[in-house]
Amino acid sequence: MILIVDDRPENLYSLQQLLEVNHFKVDTASSGEEALRKILRNTYFLIILDVQMPEMDGFEVAEAITGYSKSKDIPIIFLSAVSVEKRFITRGYSSGGLDYITKPVDPEILLLKVSTFYRLHQQTRELHEAQEALRQEVMERKAAQEALSHSLEELRSILESIQQIAFTLGPSGQIEFANRYWYRYADSLETLPVTPEGETSLPECIAKAMASGQQEVCEVRIRPIGETDFRYHLFSLTPVWKEGAIGKWVCIFTDIHEQKMINQLLENRVDERTRELQQANHDLEYSNHELQQFAYVASHDLKEPLRKIQVFSNLISGKFGTEAPEAEHYLSKIVSSAARMNSLITDVLEYSKISIGGQFRATDVNAILRDILDDMELLVREKGAVIRMENVPLLLAIPSQMRQVFQNILSNALKFSRHGVPPEISVVAERTEELSVTGEPAAEGAYCRITVRDNGIGFDERYLDKIFVIFQRLHGRNEFEGTGIGLAIVKKIVDTHGGLVTASSREGEGSVFTIVLPVHQHQHENHTQASDT
């Protein structure tokens, strides 16, 4: 802003209009005292000062202006119509003016001079700003240098205090500093610790880290000076970034020799124990296979004498039963016991055959369920049972074993019905992603969850684990017939298929049996193919 000082209003107005038309901001004062007050409050880049004014003339005002520290550098142009002699002009320059213009003023000359002073003001301000920025940058650089020196000293102090080999590398890979432990493995800063031939070397680790620009950790073996054995160490190289570039690398060797030796010993023991367990498992599998074969053969051979007991008991009963009623009673017990024994042997045969296995193939469980219900048609009709079934997805399974599973569960649902209450049985299936009873349904899930629900007598859930154990019964033989093997067969078949089975129930309210089976059987397919070859 420009300050115009003149005691004549017409001069102030004409100069103000001239400068404002040319886009300069203008302030005015009608006396020297007013001008001095305004200079203390505002900032001006140029003062146009009339010489002839009452009370304080222009020269006195200029001397006062140059006496203020705030305004001493503001350029002053004197205007005068009377004091045009050399002595007045000389006094104007000596009192602090930078130019002296006589009236009447040539507007173009005045504008040129004002523009020149404005450019000088702008350049001076820019120069001051540049000087201030430079001064600030110098101070920041000095502070950064001091901080860097401090951090370097601190880093070296830290590296010197740790009980590990530690050193720093410059950006180009030269060693700059190493702590005292370095000299247990190297003679000087110019030589790296020795590594065995054919193993990862320290230069390779350093080159790899510098190529990646990231932290690198290598496992190396280095040899202490004066010794023949190498010790295992973890060699870590961590970059230290400065202004977007790597300023140095901090490198540390951590001795892991004892841990490595212990790990190797443990690995050897684990390998040895694994081989022992594999052999024991092989022996157990062989023994289990032999036992299964024995159970199968023994059960099969037991049927022959049992059939003879049944046949001859029936012959004796038919031929002599009418003559000896008491003998008839005992013979009927023999026949009944033989029948139960036959059922038991049959179930044992079925249970033993599960482990022998079968061929997995695409199985339509819906067709199996329909066949089972056809076989049970008389029992279903006799009990007035209502059976509802939903579509079960196609499964990769052993069809004969799937038939055993659902035949046992459905026959139990019919067998263990409440007296006087028609059985209601529902079979529901859905896909799920998890081998879990509570998994969320999924249209393309890897597993199929099949739920069989009935309204029978139920059971106490305290005995849930017991119902799937072979030969376990929750009811007396006089109440319900059975051998106690049916659900054990179900459990074994489901396990063989890589699934799970469980149940929930409340006494007098029915039971819910849930079976989760894989839709596909990759591991069993591979096992079957391997067995066939």
Side-chain angles (χ1 to χ4, degrees):
M1 189 159 56
I2 302 171
L3 177 62
I4 304 173
V5 185
D6 200 315
D7 61 330
R8 298 176 66 84
E10 62 273 17
N11 292 340
L12 288 176
Y13 179 78
S14 61
L15 289 174
Q16 184 177 5
Q17 291 299 312
L18 173 66
L19 294 173
E20 286 181 348
V21 166
N22 289 275
H23 310 295
F24 290 104
K25 289 184 178 181
V26 178
D27 194 5
T28 61
S30 59
S31 67
E33 292 83 355
E34 184 183 359
L36 292 175
R37 287 195 299 270
K38 286 194 173 186
I39 288 169
L40 291 175
R41 293 196 303 269
N42 303 314
T43 300
Y44 303 100
F45 78 85
L46 177 64
I47 298 173
I48 300 176
L49 185 59
D50 185 30
V51 174
Q52 297 295 330
M53 289 188 298
E55 297 181 5
M56 289 183 70
D57 63 18
F59 300 135
E60 293 172 335
V61 174
E63 289 172 353
I65 290 172
T66 56
Y68 295 152
S69 60
K70 177 183 177 182
S71 58
K72 65 179 182 178
D73 294 325
I74 301 175
I76 299 172
I77 299 177
F78 284 109
L79 292 179
S80 178
V82 178
S83 303
V84 295
E85 296 178 10
K86 182 178 180 181
R87 61 189 179 89
F88 291 109
I89 296 174
T90 302
R91 186 182 174 190
Y93 281 109
S94 62
S95 62
L98 294 183
D99 206 345
Y100 201 103
I101 300 176
T102 60
K103 295 179 181 180
V105 177
D106 186 335
E108 293 184 0
I109 297 297
L110 179 62
L111 286 175
L112 287 173
K113 290 179 179 293
V114 170
S115 299
T116 300
F117 281 115
Y118 180 73
R119 285 196 302 273
L120 289 173
H121 167 73
Q122 290 291 93
Q123 292 171 358
T124 302
R125 188 178 65 180
E126 291 172 0
L127 180 60
H128 286 178
E129 290 175 354
Q131 289 175 338
E132 179 62 24
L134 182 60
R135 187 184 66 82
Q136 188 67 28
E137 183 178 353
V138 169
M139 290 178 62
E140 290 177 357
R141 286 180 177 272
K142 185 177 180 181
Q145 188 68 31
E146 291 176 355
L148 179 61
S149 300
H150 178 72
S151 63
L152 284 176
E153 288 301 322
E154 189 177 53
L155 175 63
R156 291 183 177 184
S157 177
I158 292 172
L159 295 181
E160 196 66 56
S161 65
I162 63 175
Q163 295 183 349
Q164 296 168 295
I165 307 170
F167 64 100
T168 60
L169 295 174
S172 59
Q174 75 280 9
I175 300 175
E176 295 179 338
F177 169 80
N179 68 358
R180 63 184 183 278
Y181 294 102
W182 169 269
Y183 298 99
R184 295 183 181 181
Y185 288 82
D187 295 323
S188 65
L189 288 179
E190 288 73 29
T191 58
L192 292 168
V194 178
T195 56
E197 292 185 7
E199 295 186 11
T200 303
S201 67
L202 301 186
E204 290 174 345
C205 295
I206 294 171
K208 184 178 180 182
M210 289 189 168
S212 67
Q214 298 177 351
Q215 184 184 43
E216 193 71 35
V217 178
C218 306
E219 184 178 294
V220 297
R221 287 199 300 155
I222 56 177
R223 185 177 62 197
I225 294 176
E227 297 185 16
T228 58
D229 295 332
F230 291 86
R231 295 184 64 83
Y232 284 97
H233 286 75
L234 279 182
F235 181 33
S236 66
L237 302 95
T238 305
V240 178
W241 292 84
K242 179 186 176 184
E243 298 178 356
I246 296 177
K248 64 175 68 274
W249 293 81
V250 176
C251 310
I252 297 176
F253 287 96
T254 302
D255 193 322
I256 58 168
H257 192 76
E258 281 71 23
Q259 298 94 312
K260 191 75 174 178
M261 295 299 99
I262 292 172
N263 288 341
Q264 286 183 355
L265 179 61
L266 289 175
E267 288 174 2
N268 292 337
R269 289 183 178 178
V270 168
D271 290 341
E272 182 180 350
R273 184 59 178 160
T274 300
R275 288 192 296 271
E276 292 176 355
L277 289 174
Q278 288 174 342
Q279 183 61 41
N281 188 49
H282 179 269
D283 295 342
L284 183 61
E285 288 180 355
Y286 179 78
S287 176
N288 189 43
H289 181 71
E290 291 293 315
L291 184 60
Q292 291 168 355
Q293 292 292 338
F294 171 76
Y296 180 79
V297 173
S299 299
H300 185 273
D301 291 345
L302 283 173
K303 278 200 164 189
E304 182 59 30
L306 188 60
R307 280 194 295 269
K308 289 184 179 179
I309 292 173
Q310 289 177 302
V311 169
F312 286 114
S313 295
N314 288 329
L315 287 175
I316 293 173
S317 176
K319 190 172 182 179
F320 305 106
T322 55
E323 300 175 4
E326 186 176 357
E328 174 69 18
H329 174 69
Y330 292 131
L331 286 171
S332 66
K333 286 185 175 292
I334 293 174
V335 172
S336 176
S337 297
R340 287 198 304 272
M341 186 67 178
N342 185 62
S343 296
L344 184 61
I345 292 173
T346 300
D347 286 345
V348 170
L349 277 170
E350 294 297 334
Y351 191 80
S352 64
K353 284 194 293 184
I354 294 172
S355 298
I356 296 174
Q359 184 67 41
F360 284 84
R361 60 174 182 267
T363 301
D364 186 355
V365 177
N366 303 290
I368 291 175
L369 289 172
R370 288 193 294 269
D371 289 345
I372 293 172
L373 293 179
D374 286 344
D375 293 343
M376 295 182 176
E377 182 180 2
L378 291 178
L379 182 59
V380 170
R381 187 180 303 169
E382 177 185 333
K383 288 186 173 271
V386 177
I387 301 176
R388 292 180 291 272
M389 295 189 303
E390 292 186 4
N391 187 58
V392 180
L394 201 67
L395 303 178
L396 198 64
I398 302 174
S400 60
Q401 293 185 1
M402 287 295 100
R403 181 181 179 87
Q404 287 179 281
V405 167
F406 292 104
Q407 184 163 341
N408 276 296
I409 292 178
L410 291 174
S411 64
N412 281 351
L414 292 171
K415 181 195 304 181
F416 297 107
S417 60
R418 286 180 284 169
H419 182 69
V421 178
E424 293 184 7
I425 304 169
S426 66
V427 181
V428 179
E430 59 184 351
R431 298 276 287 269
T432 178
E433 281 293 350
E434 303 174 13
L435 181 61
S436 168
V437 175
T438 58
E440 291 294 325
E444 300 298 325
Y447 297 91
C448 177
R449 181 169 54 220
I450 305 171
T451 304
V452 182
R453 186 184 303 271
D454 65 57
N455 64 339
I457 62 172
F459 62 89
D460 190 335
E461 286 193 0
R462 290 181 299 171
Y463 305 110
L464 176 60
D465 294 336
K466 187 177 180 182
I467 65 173
F468 293 106
V469 179
I470 191 169
F471 299 129
Q472 294 292 328
R473 296 172 55 92
L474 300 185
H475 306 281
R477 189 175 290 111
N478 294 332
E479 296 179 80
F480 299 97
E481 295 182 356
T483 60
I485 300 180
L487 291 180
I489 291 175
V490 171
K491 176 89 166 58
K492 192 168 185 179
I493 290 174
V494 172
D495 289 344
T496 301
H497 282 70
L500 62 85
V501 59
T502 188
S504 60
S505 179
R506 296 182 67 176
E507 288 186 291
E509 297 183 11
S511 303
V512 179
F513 283 83
T514 304
I515 302 169
V516 184
L517 293 168
V519 176
H520 303 288
Q521 292 282 339
H522 296 299
Q523 70 265 25
H524 291 293
E525 283 186 288
N526 297 337
H527 177 72
T528 303
Q529 292 172 1
S531 300
D532 293 342
T533 55

